[in-house]
Amino acid sequence: MSKHLDPTLSAQVRAEALVGLMTLEERASVLNYRSPGIPRLDIPEYNWWNEGLHGVARAGTATMFPQAIALAAMFDRDMMETVGHVIAVEARAKYNSYSALKDRDIYKGLTLWSPNINMFRDPRWGRGHETYGEDPYLTGELGTFFVKGIQGDGPVMMAAACAKHYAVHSGPEGERHTFDASATAKDMEAYYLPHFKALVEAGVEGVMGAYNRLNGEGTCASSFLMKKLEEWGFDGYFVSDYRALEDFYKNHRLTNSDLETAAMAVEAGCHICAGYVYEHVMDAYEKGMLSEAAITKAAIASMRTRIRLGQFDKNCEWDQIPLEVVSCRAHKQVSLEAAHKSMVLLQNNGILPLDARKTQTIGVIGPNANSREALQGNYFGTADRYHTFLEGIQDAFGGRVLYSLGAHLYKNSTTSLGLYQHDRIAEAVAVAKRSDVVILCIGLDADLEGEEGDAGNQFASGDKVDVRLPESQRLLVEKVLEIGKPTIVVIASGSALNVEATQADAILQAWYPGSEGGIALADLLFGKVSPSGKLPITFYESCEPLPPFTDYSLKNRTYLYAENNVLYPFGYGLTYGNIVVKSVTYVDGVATVSAENTGNVTTEDVIQLYMKDNNSVHAVRHHRLCGFKRVHLFPGEWTTVKITLDPTAFDVVDDAGHRFVDSDSFTLYAGVCQPDELSQRLSKTSCVSVNIHLSK
């Protein structure tokens, strides 16, 4: 048996042996994302570009989970692993079926370019809904378990995850091909890199570079970033974002030609080019700009990943996964559970849960009420069945449901010619007047917030200009609320909005909840399930007090440094029960927390731990998340849970980027929200705390 086919040997040894059989031209060829086959070595062609952000994307039918930002709102490691596992199973099933038909095209492979773990530092960023929010610890924890679910822990990976976009990349979308993100050493070490480190240490197989420069360097060939990967022990493959390397010459002006870019990137450690620059690799070699050793090293990394995926093994344990598992009932149930756990109840005067026995007519109004797009987010697969908000309510409610579109999502007319302004307002008002309860479904979709080039919102390249609703919907909200009927506002969006509807009886943040979103919404509205999601981002009152979008400093941004302007805080979310944290103790990195459900509704909630450094001048302005755990309690039930703290919970980072413990006095807070005054007032609860003194 040839050494590269021996499954008892390590993937590294097998990859070295396989690459050793290739000519230099063949080694260069496998560095392209559209990697050609090498028939004489029985290496099939392979396309590295595949997506799995919240379900297998762009490859036909698949289970559609809630968008990534919604998955983050679950604050649930185990569910993240389960979601990742389902995605991997479906990716493998598709790969098996397509490959058997010799279809090895884009989106049909096993190298999933997910998760997106960039920091959602500013609410204007259109791609923020692809991320896990604004906190690096939360992102690292959730991303780690998502990766674990995708890759598994067996000798052969079911699929390969990829942490992107490395690094310091979160808008503006319209400038990403020319933009130089400037970040201090402190912010890099404390905020923009910890979650990438966490995923690398957890064994993520891929890392993708970003479009922008970082402190002058192109991120796909940055000596600083590549050195960090080496320090963290990364041994997977590094890939450029699509056509990001072309920007080196055309936009960033870092090189004088694509030829020079190819040489720079391969030598730096970019193994796979998503784009076309690596078509120049052999020319660069022949001109003495690129070494054979660098080409060989990159080819080995490429083959090593494919070997870890079992692509050259006979009888791989995953080869028999059939197409029938795709979008099966069990997988849809996972999507539904994720939607249940992700929706965040922001406001409730007692109207929720609705008593269907006391309600005869429900009016469902708004551009997102019957919208499939409001379920999807971006980077989505095709569900075999969708349940819109309207459909979910219609199926769950036995009485009369009246419906009105109310307004276009962002235009002032719902007609194609735009001849009649605000032409559905009268209908919406009439429906509201005839209803006992109004469900007002508003917000955005991925046509308004998303990636540059994908979103239809071209005036901001997919970003938002502020946190207000489009004008068409602002008028709709105003006119419906004027009627004075009990009104529940349901927001579909992937980012922070101020919908200016505080007089509503309840507000529910539904995100982009996936194909089962309508069922999940109805289950929450009618009390079949208690809401339990928490905000993974800060909701701001306005964008005006924020620093410029292009400023990557954290001044007055995120829950770590916000000085004012907070509408709903990070970690906030109401339930129908009343889980109260009673006590917290701390010993050797572990907090012991007791809690009781003093309400009369069975519910889940998220116990959150926050650390406050009481002395160091280098500490964050407020406190930072250092632990969390979901609990499920029946009315009157007690629980005591142990929560392991973030190992860096006591650390600070100085201006030079050095991480260390700088204090002997800390306060550890435990609750179902942050320990700030606004969070506790909105949640109608209090955090408990314990003082910790470290011996120097």
Side-chain angles (χ1 to χ4, degrees):
M1 177 186 293
S2 177
K3 184 181 290 187
H4 77 276
L5 294 175
D6 186 348
T8 66
L9 298 176
S10 71
Q12 178 69 26
V13 170
R14 292 177 64 185
E16 290 173 356
L18 181 56
V19 171
L21 300 174
M22 297 179 185
T23 66
L24 188 60
E25 289 82 0
E26 289 169 338
R27 297 175 194 181
S29 73
V30 300
L31 309 188
N32 292 290
Y33 83 100
R34 296 188 299 181
S35 180
I38 306 176
R40 71 180 188 85
L41 297 177
D42 293 323
I43 298 175
E45 65 178 297
Y46 184 70
N47 197 305
W48 288 80
W49 188 349
N50 308 281
E51 301 289 352
L53 185 65
H54 56 116
V56 179
R58 301 175 175 177
T61 303
T63 301
M64 184 196 294
F65 292 96
Q67 176 60 294
I69 193 70
L71 296 176
M74 299 188 302
F75 278 64
D76 192 327
R77 298 174 180 87
D78 292 339
M79 273 296 292
M80 292 299 294
E81 183 175 356
T82 300
V83 169
H85 175 73
V86 170
I87 293 170
V89 168
E90 295 197 358
R92 181 65 74 158
K94 287 174 171 291
Y95 173 78
N96 292 342
S97 296
Y98 298 154
S99 296
L101 298 171
K102 309 301 182 185
D103 185 351
R104 300 178 184 274
D105 204 352
I106 190 171
Y107 307 135
K108 298 168 185 176
L110 298 172
T111 44
L112 303 179
W113 288 353
S114 301
N116 181 342
I117 59 169
N118 293 128
M119 288 290 93
F120 198 177
R121 65 184 176 91
D122 191 295
R124 290 167 284 199
W125 188 35
R127 296 190 74 178
H129 55 106
E130 299 176 30
T131 77
Y132 299 144
E134 71 184 33
D135 183 69
Y137 171 69
L138 177 67
T139 295
E141 291 292 294
L142 299 181
T144 291
F145 278 77
F146 185 74
V147 168
K148 183 178 178 181
I150 286 177
Q151 298 186 175
D153 55 7
V156 177
M157 289 188 296
M158 189 177 293
C162 178
K164 66 183 186 184
H165 309 85
Y166 186 61
V168 194
H169 175 78
S170 53
E173 283 294 296
E175 300 177 34
R176 67 181 185 172
H177 298 285
T178 59
F179 184 64
D180 185 7
S182 178
T184 66
K186 176 182 176 70
D187 288 346
M188 292 278 287
E189 175 63 27
Y191 189 71
Y192 289 113
L193 294 182
H195 42 298
F196 281 100
K197 180 175 185 286
L199 265 63
V200 167
E201 292 180 343
V204 69
E205 183 64 20
V207 171
M208 176 184 285
Y211 284 108
N212 55 279
R213 280 170 286 154
L214 170 59
N215 295 330
E217 287 190 312
T219 58
C220 294
S222 162
S223 59
F224 172 80
L225 292 177
M226 294 298 186
K227 183 178 179 181
K228 285 293 183 182
L229 291 178
E230 183 180 352
E231 291 174 0
W232 301 335
F234 179 60
D235 76 338
Y237 76 95
F238 188 99
V239 60
S240 68
D241 205 342
Y242 182 60
R243 306 204 74 169
L245 289 178
E246 277 86 335
D247 288 336
F248 276 44
Y249 165 52
K250 295 177 181 176
N251 295 310
H252 293 309
R253 301 300 180 185
L254 294 170
T255 61
N256 295 312
S257 66
D258 286 340
L259 195 72
E260 188 177 324
T261 299
M264 173 189 287
V266 175
E267 291 284 357
C270 181
H271 306 128
I272 303 294
C273 170
Y276 306 97
V277 163
Y278 279 11
E279 293 175 358
H280 301 284
V281 164
M282 285 306 299
D283 286 343
Y285 167 76
E286 291 168 357
K287 289 182 169 56
M289 302 165 65
L290 176 58
S291 68
E292 179 178 345
I295 297 172
T296 300
K297 184 177 181 180
I300 290 171
S302 165
M303 291 300 108
R304 184 176 60 205
T305 293
R306 294 181 67 175
I307 287 169
R308 286 171 176 163
L309 288 165
Q311 290 189 353
F312 309 128
D313 295 342
K314 294 182 179 179
N315 302 316
C316 169
E317 60 183 308
W318 309 123
D319 285 351
Q320 302 308 313
I321 297 177
L323 191 65
E324 285 80 1
V325 304
V326 173
S327 202
C328 65
R329 182 176 299 177
H331 290 180
K332 290 178 183 177
Q333 184 61 36
V334 177
S335 179
L336 176 60
E337 184 180 351
H340 283 153
K341 291 185 173 186
S342 67
M343 294 185 183
V344 183
L345 184 59
L346 299 175
Q347 184 172 305
N348 185 21
N349 67 2
I351 191 174
L352 292 178
L354 289 172
D355 188 343
R357 297 169 300 179
K358 299 179 180 179
T359 306
Q360 292 183 326
T361 303
I362 292 177
V364 181
I365 300 171
N368 277 336
N370 201 32
S371 167
R372 287 186 174 185
E373 288 75 14
L375 305 177
Q376 291 175 167
N378 65 356
Y379 283 91
F380 57 90
T382 302
D384 59 12
R385 186 177 181 185
Y386 298 81
H387 301 272
T388 67
F389 298 149
L390 174 64
E391 291 165 344
I393 294 167
Q394 287 172 330
D395 291 345
F397 181 59
R400 183 75 168 94
V401 176
L402 302 177
Y403 165 64
S404 171
L405 178 67
H408 189 277
L409 196 68
Y410 60 94
K411 298 177 182 178
N412 286 333
S413 173
T414 64
T415 63
S416 59
L417 297 178
L419 298 178
Y420 305 99
Q421 298 294 295
H422 310 299
D423 51 314
R424 291 292 176 265
I425 291 292
E427 180 187 51
V429 170
V431 165
K433 287 183 174 182
R434 301 294 295 176
S435 300
D436 300 315
V437 175
V438 173
I439 313 294
L440 184 56
C441 302
I442 56 175
L444 310 173
D445 65 23
D447 197 47
L448 290 179
E449 54 178 353
E451 185 172 3
E452 179 252 1
D454 286 346
N457 163 19
Q458 294 302 318
F459 59 87
S461 298
D463 293 328
K464 298 184 320 194
V465 296
D466 56 37
V467 294
R468 303 184 74 193
L469 286 169
E471 180 184 2
S472 59
Q473 294 189 65
R474 295 202 299 270
L475 179 63
L476 174 65
V477 171
E478 176 188 339
K479 295 301 182 182
V480 170
L481 290 177
E482 278 180 357
I483 304 305
K485 289 297 182 74
T487 301
I488 300 157
V489 173
V490 177
I491 307 170
S493 74
S495 57
L497 288 177
N498 183 351
V499 299
E500 300 172 332
T502 54
Q503 67 269 46
D505 296 273
I507 302 176
L508 186 67
Q509 177 69 33
W511 310 107
Y512 302 131
S515 61
E516 313 306 298
I519 299 175
L521 176 64
D523 287 345
L524 268 61
L525 292 177
F526 295 109
K528 184 177 180 180
V529 177
S530 172
S532 58
K534 301 291 183 179
L535 293 181
I537 51 175
T538 300
F539 274 41
Y540 300 96
E541 294 179 350
S542 168
C543 284
E544 291 182 5
L546 297 175
F549 192 6
T550 53
D551 182 351
Y552 269 70
S553 73
L554 298 178
K555 180 178 173 58
N556 204 17
R557 273 199 183 100
T558 80
Y559 80 97
L560 300 167
Y561 290 96
E563 302 168 24
N564 51 39
N565 189 36
V566 176
L567 180 66
Y568 297 113
F570 172 93
Y572 167 71
L574 302 173
T575 72
Y576 297 155
N578 189 35
I579 292 181
V580 178
V581 174
K582 298 287 189 175
S583 66
V584 60
T585 59
Y586 170 83
V587 178
D588 295 334
V590 177
T592 301
V593 182
S594 64
E596 178 187 10
N597 185 355
T598 63
N600 56 9
V601 175
T602 299
T603 192
E604 289 193 7
D605 211 332
V606 180
I607 295 176
Q608 303 166 45
L609 302 179
Y610 292 88
M611 186 68 75
K612 173 68 175 176
D613 187 320
N614 296 319
N615 290 335
S616 178
V617 297
H618 303 296
V620 298
R621 179 180 177 90
H622 301 300
H623 41 256
R624 62 188 181 97
L625 184 72
C626 63
F628 60 92
K629 187 176 181 65
R630 266 192 173 256
V631 294
H632 179 281
L633 294 177
F634 296 101
E637 184 181 4
W638 277 79
T639 190
T640 299
V641 296
K642 293 186 179 298
I643 303 175
T644 301
L645 269 63
D646 174 6
T648 70
F650 298 102
D651 292 359
V652 293
V653 178
D654 66 16
D655 292 342
H658 299 133
R659 180 181 291 275
F660 60 104
V661 177
D662 190 39
S663 175
D664 63 354
S665 176
F666 301 85
T667 302
L668 177 65
Y669 296 93
V672 294
C673 65
Q674 284 189 66
D676 63 293
E677 187 275 332
L678 178 60
S679 295
Q680 294 179 96
R681 173 165 54 83
L682 291 173
S683 300
K684 296 182 174 61
T685 187
S686 298
C687 295
V688 299
S689 64
V690 59
N691 292 321
I692 301 173
H693 297 279
L694 300 181
S695 57
K696 289 188 175 181

